[in-house]
Amino acid sequence: MFESAADNSSILSIDLGLLIGLLVLQRLLDPFLTRDRILFGLTTGSLLITYALWRWHDTLPTFAFSVQNLWQYFFFAFEAIAIAYTLMSIIILFRSIDRSEQADDMQRRMEREGGFPPVDIFICTYDEPLEGLERAMLTALALDYPDATVWVLDDTRRGWLREYCAEAGARYITRSDNKDAKAGNLNNALTVTAAQTNAPVILVLDADFSPRRDFLKRTVGLLSDPEVAIVQTPQFYHNPDPIQHNLLAARSWVDDQRFFFDIFQPAKDAWGCAFCVGTSFIVRRDRLNEIGGFPSQAISEDINLTYTMLARGYHTWWLNEKLSIGLSAEGIPEYITQRARWCLGTIQVALLRQGPLFGARFTFTQRWQYLHGVLNWFCKPFMVLLLLAPPIYWFAGIPAFEADYLSFLRYGMPALLSQTIYMVWISRSRTLPFFMEATHAVTAFAISATLLSAVIKPFGRPFKITDKGGDRSAPRVHWKLASVFGLISMSSTASIGWAFVSPYAASEISSIDFFNLIWAAIAMLIAFIAFLVCFELPRGEAFFSVDEAAKLALDDNVISGHVTGLSASSAQMSLSRTLPARLSNQTVQLYLDALGWIEAEVSSSSKAVVRLRLQPTVAQHKQLVIRLFGSSSSNVADTARMRGVVFGTISRGFRGEQSSLRDL
């Protein structure tokens, strides 16, 4: 039944008025104020609930055992999970806490009283190359703290690493096997260090994470509260992840963990449910001894550690400061493997007899907060279904749900608009429509498979580390994943064409057909973005943007200028005057404060800009590593900008690998 023109106009007017109202709310309300978070959250939640009720009452047929009926109920089941997860997220985000003032107070107290408890620093490593590992070691050794011992926990028994640790000033620990993976490695170190230093505080770092010089001074004081067992800090990365990098959007699009680390964890902390994330955290040794060490029943030893502590009445506090910087997964396979492991680990902890869902010592809040984390992973299959639904409708004639576009405008569009605007507002520009969905889509198939396999065999699978580092100078194509998203994108495109050229097509597009055409166009766009991500661009060494006065000694001339880019082995310098000729391969001297004169070779020059290959001494190399990676600086965006992401994606789509030289 078709709506009248007046009804159409009325629905569109309501949606437009709602959009304007939401944009006004976005401008007037402050996401840092609890009152405003609740107001905007309740507005969004009420519209989502209205949409869910409409879906249940008006779009589902009477249940029957038929392909179409089962498909529609199957789709709705996962959609309901996604809605429930979103509503729970809104409630969690009602609250938030910032512990920086507490950290300030405790740091001043420690410095005033000289009360710096000894710290053992555990750097966990499994076969990582020295290039990345030395960053963690050297920055840990350079921490501004009076009593800290660096221990390198080598789970691959490398003789050369033992020698390197001795030269650098770190202590070395290994073991005869790899039992219990990372948790076993940590527990072995816990035993070894108890007999030597036995420091009351332990800092845990992954091999690719470098702490800022004041990391311990900012965190250790917070453990003075005897009920606080863990202080966790967020993960930041000095390199773009595969999605940022392959869309040429490192400075415009955030990594997929930014919303979780920057927004969700402070909110969970306000509820007493922030949790450990595996690296860049400190923990009290006495509390570890009390629970029998790092728990090893699940591959996610980090979240299991927090909930084991919660069962004893101890807490994990979240200090939302950029105190360390690490290496993000660089390739799509590693990126997917990492998230699939997180998914499986979350499910394993949920299934433990003494875990947060079935254990006897947890509060209601702790249980539903953990359930929220589980539902996060169960939302991924819904993304798969969203992408597959349009082709199924157009080629098999089976709709995911029976609704015309006007009904969706009346009930679905308000929920969609409010959720999108609310997420941009509450995240403080850490989400973008379409690109956030494409980011989730990249891992959705693998995580869906992980969930399915977890139903059959949740335990007993080996721990898979995330490979990082190594040579990434050549482009790579992941054809299997590319073919999946390419097929989805093409089938959605074909379904749009089929709607008009099919011999069975109606002479006039029906309302339900129009709704599915729009859906197909959105699925095509999301799948195409994910398709582009599968074509990996080459990567070079981490190169940091800087602005520092420097001098270049060329023959008998000393030219002033500014270093505008710097890595551990190269530099880019803008000079005060134009060079007389090209200087490739010529040996020069570069002067930088705190490093002195560094021997270098000109790799390229153009007018007043020169690129140098540095040849530092061993001492200068160490200073460079500490300077670059111990400052927590990076070239990766902390907030998102739609314009930059769109331009990067278009550039990648039309110009291919040639555009890899341009970083938007």
Side-chain angles (χ1 to χ4, degrees):
M1 180 177 179
F2 292 100
E3 305 279 351
S4 68
D7 289 336
N8 297 351
S9 178
S10 175
I11 294 171
L12 291 174
S13 297
I14 292 173
D15 283 348
L16 179 60
L18 177 66
L19 174 61
I20 294 172
L22 290 169
L23 292 174
V24 170
L25 280 180
Q26 184 185 38
R27 296 282 299 194
L28 294 180
L29 300 183
D30 185 349
F32 291 99
L33 297 179
T34 300
R35 176 196 60 202
D36 292 357
R37 295 163 78 98
I38 293 174
L39 176 59
F40 209 155
L42 288 176
T43 301
T44 301
S46 63
L47 293 172
L48 276 172
I49 292 172
T50 301
Y51 167 76
L53 293 173
W54 167 70
R55 281 284 282 121
W56 174 256
H57 287 292
D58 294 351
T59 66
L60 289 173
T62 303
F63 185 79
F65 286 98
S66 66
V67 173
Q68 176 170 325
N69 197 285
L70 291 174
W71 163 239
Q72 292 181 344
Y73 274 88
F74 184 73
F75 186 93
F76 177 74
F78 281 98
E79 184 180 11
I81 290 174
I83 293 172
Y85 171 77
T86 304
L87 291 172
M88 293 171 75
S89 298
I90 290 172
I91 294 173
I92 291 172
L93 293 170
F94 281 171
R95 305 172 67 179
S96 187
I97 190 170
D98 184 353
R99 299 197 182 274
S100 288
E101 287 190 9
Q102 289 174 274
D104 291 339
D105 292 340
M106 297 312 301
Q107 180 177 351
R108 285 193 292 266
R109 178 180 173 183
M110 286 196 306
E111 291 174 342
R112 182 175 62 252
E113 299 176 358
F116 296 99
V119 178
D120 281 330
I121 302 173
F122 291 176
I123 301 177
C124 306
T125 174
Y126 183 91
D127 206 30
E128 291 86 359
L130 178 60
E131 179 187 8
L133 180 56
E134 74 169 352
R135 299 168 186 168
M137 290 178 56
L138 295 177
T139 51
L141 288 165
L143 283 169
D144 180 20
Y145 196 80
D147 193 355
T149 306
V150 176
W151 301 84
V152 176
L153 284 49
D154 180 19
D155 235 9
T156 37
R157 298 164 285 281
R158 292 163 287 180
W160 64 263
L161 181 54
R162 181 190 295 271
E163 295 175 2
Y164 182 83
C165 289
E167 294 174 3
R171 301 199 192 184
Y172 177 87
I173 299 176
T174 190
R175 55 184 179 147
S176 59
D177 58 35
N178 300 107
K179 183 180 178 182
D180 295 331
K182 183 179 177 181
N185 194 14
L186 287 166
N187 285 327
N188 177 65
L190 198 62
T191 301
V192 171
T193 57
Q196 298 186 46
T197 49
N198 198 35
V201 177
I202 295 169
L203 164 61
V204 177
L205 295 169
D206 281 349
D208 57 311
F209 270 83
S210 305
R212 203 172 74 185
R213 279 181 55 81
D214 61 344
F215 187 106
L216 292 176
K217 286 188 174 180
R218 295 298 297 160
T219 56
V220 169
L222 295 175
L223 289 183
S224 60
D225 185 332
E227 292 188 352
V228 179
I230 303 166
V231 175
Q232 177 68 67
T233 67
Q235 295 180 17
F236 287 86
Y237 309 105
H238 62 75
N239 66 313
D241 67 27
I243 296 174
Q244 295 170 298
H245 180 69
N246 296 327
L247 293 181
L248 301 175
R251 298 184 184 181
S252 304
W253 177 231
V254 299
D255 66 86
D256 71 326
Q257 294 296 296
R258 277 284 52 81
F259 182 81
F260 170 73
F261 288 134
D262 296 351
I263 308 300
F264 251 124
Q265 282 280 40
K268 283 183 172 290
D269 191 14
W271 291 89
C273 294
F275 56 84
C276 177
V277 295
T279 184
S280 305
F281 70 92
I282 59 171
V283 57
R284 293 174 59 129
R285 185 184 289 265
D286 57 351
R287 302 307 181 215
L288 279 173
N289 292 336
E290 187 176 333
I291 66 171
F294 292 88
S296 59
Q297 305 96 322
I299 61 174
S300 288
E301 84 294 330
D302 43 17
I303 192 171
N304 196 9
L305 173 63
T306 285
Y307 274 85
T308 303
M309 291 291 187
L310 284 175
R312 298 291 186 105
Y314 304 127
H315 302 292
T316 295
W317 277 6
W318 184 266
L319 180 59
N320 198 27
E321 295 181 2
K322 193 174 186 178
L323 296 177
S324 67
I325 185 169
L327 183 64
S328 176
E330 297 169 289
I332 288 295
E334 296 83 5
Y335 180 88
I336 293 173
T337 296
Q338 186 181 61
R339 280 137 184 86
R341 185 180 72 241
W342 295 344
C343 169
L344 180 60
T346 304
I347 301 301
Q348 287 181 346
V349 174
L351 296 176
L352 294 175
R353 181 169 297 184
Q354 299 303 319
L357 297 188
F358 302 111
R361 304 171 71 175
F362 296 97
T363 66
F364 174 76
T365 297
Q366 291 165 353
R367 294 181 196 277
W368 77 261
Q369 287 266 352
Y370 196 85
L371 178 62
H372 171 263
V374 172
L375 291 183
N376 168 62
W377 299 111
F378 275 92
C379 289
K380 304 304 181 184
F382 181 56
M383 175 57 65
V384 174
L385 300 181
L386 280 172
L387 295 176
L388 297 179
I392 290 175
Y393 172 76
W394 287 107
F395 295 116
I398 303 176
F401 59 89
E402 297 178 0
D404 55 45
Y405 78 93
L406 290 173
S407 296
F408 186 81
L409 286 176
R410 180 183 289 117
Y411 298 103
M413 187 57 69
L416 185 61
L417 289 174
S418 63
Q419 183 181 345
T420 300
I421 295 173
Y422 168 78
M423 291 297 288
V424 172
W425 175 81
I426 196 70
S427 71
R428 303 192 290 280
S429 298
R430 289 170 176 82
T431 63
L432 289 176
F434 300 115
F435 291 95
M436 180 62 76
E437 285 75 18
T439 298
H440 293 318
V442 169
T443 59
F445 287 91
I447 290 174
S448 298
T450 298
L451 291 171
L452 184 60
S453 64
V455 173
I456 302 170
K457 186 182 179 182
F459 295 95
R461 282 183 257 176
F463 184 94
K464 293 183 179 180
I465 67 165
T466 304
D467 293 331
K468 296 179 182 178
D471 184 14
R472 301 273 175 175
S473 60
R476 305 180 186 185
V477 181
H478 303 288
W479 288 111
K480 289 184 178 179
L481 195 62
S483 63
V484 170
F485 289 115
L487 182 62
I488 292 173
S489 185
M490 287 190 295
S491 62
S492 295
T493 304
S495 65
I496 295 173
W498 185 254
F500 296 98
V501 303
S502 167
Y504 309 104
S507 58
E508 187 174 332
I509 297 294
S510 68
S511 186
I512 190 171
D513 282 352
F514 189 72
F515 169 68
N516 279 276
L517 279 174
I518 297 174
W519 189 344
I522 294 172
M524 175 188 67
L525 178 59
I526 293 172
F528 182 70
I529 295 172
F531 172 76
L532 289 178
V533 170
C534 299
F535 294 80
E536 292 194 10
L537 297 172
R539 290 179 184 260
E541 185 183 24
F543 200 69
F544 295 87
S545 295
V546 297
D547 184 9
E548 181 178 341
K551 298 176 182 178
L552 186 69
L554 175 64
D555 296 328
D556 295 329
N557 298 319
V558 176
I559 307 172
S560 299
H562 280 78
V563 170
T564 57
L566 189 63
S567 76
S569 65
S570 62
Q572 181 172 290
M573 187 175 180
S574 177
L575 303 175
S576 58
R577 61 183 173 86
T578 302
L579 294 174
R582 300 186 68 85
L583 304 169
S584 295
N585 301 320
Q586 185 167 338
T587 299
V588 296
Q589 296 282 328
L590 174 68
Y591 182 84
L592 290 172
D593 286 342
L595 293 175
W597 289 101
I598 305 172
E599 189 169 320
E601 186 178 86
V602 178
S603 58
S604 65
S605 62
S606 175
K607 295 183 179 180
V609 177
V610 62
R611 189 75 179 252
L612 305 170
R613 287 188 293 267
L614 303 181
Q615 299 170 353
T617 64
V618 173
Q620 287 174 330
H621 172 74
K622 290 181 178 180
Q623 287 179 296
L624 265 174
V625 170
I626 294 169
R627 180 177 180 175
L628 293 172
F629 297 95
S631 63
S632 297
S633 60
S634 71
N635 294 321
V636 182
D638 291 332
T639 57
R641 293 183 296 110
M642 178 63 84
R643 181 179 178 182
V645 184
V646 170
F647 283 174
T649 303
I650 292 174
S651 176
R652 182 67 206 279
F654 284 96
R655 294 168 57 195
E657 290 175 6
Q658 293 178 356
S659 61
S660 65
L661 299 176
R662 181 181 177 189
D663 182 11
L664 295 179

